[in-house]
């Protein structure tokens, strides 16, 4: 997989937003912030294109945007929005289960079960947003959310998905870890964040072996989660 925006030296451009859609976007964003004051309009990456390069290659064209643009999806008939680009980590345990996490109530997806990870971030200056950069970001997300330090070069590109909203996810497979280790590291992380007066991004983790176990988790699930767990379980059988 490769990521591109024109050529390596070009700066990706955000989409042009018509004046009427910009006004609607501002209203949608203001409404979202009122509902969840923790939202912030930080730098983000959107997927501007996805195409096959060859039978084994995939090119993702990306654009440098901000989180505000994501609110345009809520505007009926909007044409200028772009799907987001995110990374996730498949963290297996030594006994074949897979780690899934639940977002805290203050996040953009309160109570949702998903894989560890988050929205991709734009590179600094004119840096490339390639597989290596996404791998580094995935490793950082795993450390920040779970407390498990994993070297980026230990993550293997596993799958590229598109969710029901059109957003593109790049999934990496981490080395297996003992289940007690993951629970201990997460507990230590929560304790550390709480001691510093910060609310952790996750309020729970669990381990699942199959879609049936996943279905027993109460609350919303990321729409990609069940197919990914099913695929992972099938590959292990």
């Amino acid at each position: 997989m490769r990521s591109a925006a024109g050529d390596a030296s070009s700066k990706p451009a955000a989409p042009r937003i018509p004046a009427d859609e910009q006004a609607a976007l501002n209203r949608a964003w203001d409404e979202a912030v009122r509902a969840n004051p923790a939202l912030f309009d930080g730098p983000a990456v959107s997927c501007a294109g996805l195409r096959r390069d060859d039978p084994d290659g995939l090119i993702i064209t990306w654009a440098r945007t901000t989180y505000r643009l994501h609110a345009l999806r809520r505007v009926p008939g909007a044409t200028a929005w772009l799907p987001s680009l995110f990374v996730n980590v498949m963290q297996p345990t030594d006994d074949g289960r897979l780690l899934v996490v639940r977002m805290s109530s203050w996040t953009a997806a309160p109570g949702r079960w998903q894989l560890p990870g988050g929205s991709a971030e734009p590179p600094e200056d004119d840096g490339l947003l390639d597989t290596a950069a996404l791998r580094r970001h995935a490793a950082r997300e795993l450390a920040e959310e779970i407390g498990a330090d994993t070297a980026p070069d230990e993550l293997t590109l596993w799958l590229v998905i598109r969710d029901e909203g059109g957003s593109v996810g790049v999934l990496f497979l981490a080395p297996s870890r003992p289940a007690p280790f993951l629970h201990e590291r997460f507990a230590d992380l929560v304790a550390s964040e709480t001691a510093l007066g910060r609310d952790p991004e996750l309020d729970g983790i669990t381990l699942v072996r199959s879609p049936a176990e996943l279905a027993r988790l109460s609350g919303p699930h990321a729409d990609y989660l069940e197919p990914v767990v099913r695929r992972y379980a099938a590959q292990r059988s």
Side-chain angles (χ1 to χ4, degrees):
M1 186 197 75
R2 291 183 289 166
S3 297
D7 57 60
S9 63
S10 64
K11 288 187 177 181
R16 293 181 178 274
I17 303 177
D20 58 335
E21 291 190 16
Q22 182 65 61
L25 167 60
N26 293 339
R27 290 193 298 271
W29 176 256
D30 291 343
E31 179 181 340
V33 172
R34 285 195 296 271
N36 183 359
L39 294 179
F40 67 97
D41 189 23
V45 169
S46 292
C47 178
L50 186 66
R51 64 181 176 86
R52 285 282 182 188
D53 184 33
D54 55 56
D56 298 317
L58 189 66
I59 292 181
I60 298 175
T61 305
W62 60 278
R64 189 185 300 268
T65 60
T66 71
Y67 286 102
R68 176 185 292 264
L69 183 67
H70 295 169
L72 198 57
R73 303 174 195 172
R74 307 180 184 183
V75 178
T79 60
W81 73 276
L82 290 175
S84 60
L85 179 64
F86 61 93
V87 295
N88 280 136
V89 179
M90 310 278 295
Q91 175 60 70
T93 58
D94 291 345
D95 60 3
R97 290 178 291 172
L98 195 65
L99 179 73
V100 294
V101 303
R102 185 173 61 195
M103 301 294 289
S104 294
S105 60
W106 58 268
T107 63
R112 186 177 72 184
W113 290 98
Q114 60 184 53
L115 297 173
S119 299
E121 298 177 356
E124 297 180 1
D125 302 322
D126 294 326
L128 289 176
L129 185 61
D130 55 9
T131 305
L134 294 174
R135 184 180 285 110
R136 290 192 296 270
H137 183 55
R140 186 167 66 250
E141 289 282 349
L142 190 63
E144 292 177 351
E145 293 185 352
I146 305 300
D149 292 325
T150 301
D153 59 8
E154 292 184 289
L155 299 180
T156 303
L157 179 61
W158 191 75
L159 187 67
V160 177
I161 61 172
R162 188 186 287 275
D163 68 16
E164 293 178 359
S167 294
V168 174
V170 182
L171 277 58
F172 293 93
L173 180 65
S176 297
R177 300 272 199 169
F181 169 84
L182 295 174
H183 284 293
E184 290 169 7
R185 294 308 302 265
F186 180 67
D188 289 345
L189 177 66
V190 170
S192 176
E193 291 289 286
T194 302
L196 293 172
R198 296 195 292 253
D199 293 325
E201 188 174 356
L202 306 177
D203 69 5
I205 65 172
T206 193
L207 301 167
V208 299
R209 194 181 303 275
S210 68
E213 293 182 8
L214 182 66
R216 290 195 285 268
L217 300 178
S218 61
H221 297 186
D223 58 51
Y224 66 78
L225 188 56
E226 191 275 341
V228 167
V229 171
R230 183 176 301 279
R231 182 184 180 113
Y232 176 76
Q235 288 188 356
R236 288 191 54 82
S237 62

